[in-house]
């Protein structure tokens, strides 16, 4: 009888040890990831806050931009990291940056074209819902179809529906 209780207590002790070890490793990984994120956030230059020191590429393109589009409008916003309580590190890409990337210019017909001579089309995306409407799948399917058709004829710049980059609550 004593051997059985000794083996049982030994197994319990081993189980406790490995559980503790697993928890310690998990916690250390979480802490390490938070430290890496904080370190990267301190080292990374916040691109969305730094004004451009080079002359504006779109200054000569503004006459070709659609009336509803400004060079400072946000094309995309990606959440890089989040540090509680409310510190978001978001990488934003503006229309000006995207046009530079595409090597855009004003075409002979006064239309905005990319470096390959293909006309540029701005498309405002939908789908940033906290609580989506009942027919959201139909809305997104229609949007996909429209984008596929537009891509056949244009270089499409998809304008985000969430320029802040902060996920909805």
């Amino acid at each position: 009888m004593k051997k059985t209780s000794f083996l049982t207590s030994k197994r319990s002790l081993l189980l406790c040890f490995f559980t503790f070890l697993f928890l310690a490793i998990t916690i250390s990984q979480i802490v390490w990831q938070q430290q890496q994120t904080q370190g990267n956030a301190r080292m990374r230059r916040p691109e969305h806050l730094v004004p451009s020191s080079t002359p504006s590429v779109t200054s000569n393109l503004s006459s070709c931009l659609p009336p509803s589009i400004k060079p400072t409008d946000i094309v995309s916003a990606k959440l890089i990291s989040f540090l509680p309580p409310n510190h978001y590190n978001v990488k934003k890409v503006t229309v000006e940056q995207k046009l530079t990337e595409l090597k855009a210019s004003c075409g002979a017909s006064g239309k905005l074209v990319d470096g390959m001579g293909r006309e540029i089309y701005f498309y405002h995306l939908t789908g940033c819902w906290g609580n989506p409407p009942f027919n959201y799948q139909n809305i997104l399917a229609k949007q996909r179809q429209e984008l596929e058709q537009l891509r056949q004829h244009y270089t499409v710049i998809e304008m985000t529906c969430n320029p802040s980059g902060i996920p909805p609550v």
Side-chain angles (χ1 to χ4, degrees):
M1 282 296 259
K2 285 189 177 183
K3 267 191 170 180
T4 306
S5 65
F6 175 74
L7 288 176
T8 305
S9 65
K10 191 173 181 181
R11 284 184 186 148
S12 296
L13 185 61
L14 280 173
L15 181 62
C16 287
F17 172 76
F18 284 114
T19 303
F20 176 78
L21 184 63
F22 173 77
L23 287 173
I25 290 171
T26 304
I27 290 170
S28 67
Q29 285 178 340
I30 291 170
V31 169
W32 182 79
Q33 286 174 348
Q34 286 178 343
Q35 289 173 346
Q36 291 291 56
T37 303
Q38 288 172 352
N40 289 343
R42 275 189 231 113
M43 291 174 14
R44 183 178 291 117
R45 185 179 77 181
E47 295 174 28
H48 61 283
L49 297 176
V50 177
S52 175
S53 59
T54 59
S56 174
V57 172
T58 55
S59 60
N60 61 343
L61 300 178
S62 30
S63 61
C64 292
L65 285 173
S68 61
I69 302 292
K70 295 187 280 305
T72 56
D73 288 348
I74 303 300
V75 172
S76 66
K78 181 180 178 184
L79 181 62
I80 304 296
S81 64
F82 169 71
L83 298 172
N86 285 324
H87 181 72
Y88 296 92
N89 186 9
V90 179
K91 182 179 188 310
K92 296 181 181 181
V93 177
T94 63
V95 167
E96 181 176 11
Q97 292 168 328
K98 190 67 176 177
L99 292 176
T100 301
E101 176 188 324
L102 294 172
K103 298 180 176 133
S105 62
C106 276
S109 62
K111 299 202 181 214
L112 197 59
V113 294
D114 65 9
M116 304 294 283
R118 196 167 179 181
E119 188 176 346
I120 296 173
Y121 187 92
F122 293 88
Y123 187 92
H124 289 276
L125 296 171
T126 57
C128 293
W129 304 294
N131 188 16
F134 75 95
N135 63 339
Y136 77 96
Q137 291 174 328
N138 294 337
I139 294 169
L140 294 177
K142 181 181 174 191
Q143 178 176 270
R144 266 191 309 277
Q145 284 179 329
E146 288 175 357
L147 284 168
E148 285 174 17
Q149 290 174 349
L150 288 169
R151 284 188 194 114
Q152 292 174 2
H153 304 286
Y154 303 99
T155 295
V156 179
I157 296 178
E158 298 176 22
M159 304 289 289
T160 183
C161 54
N162 182 8
S164 74
I166 299 170
V169 179

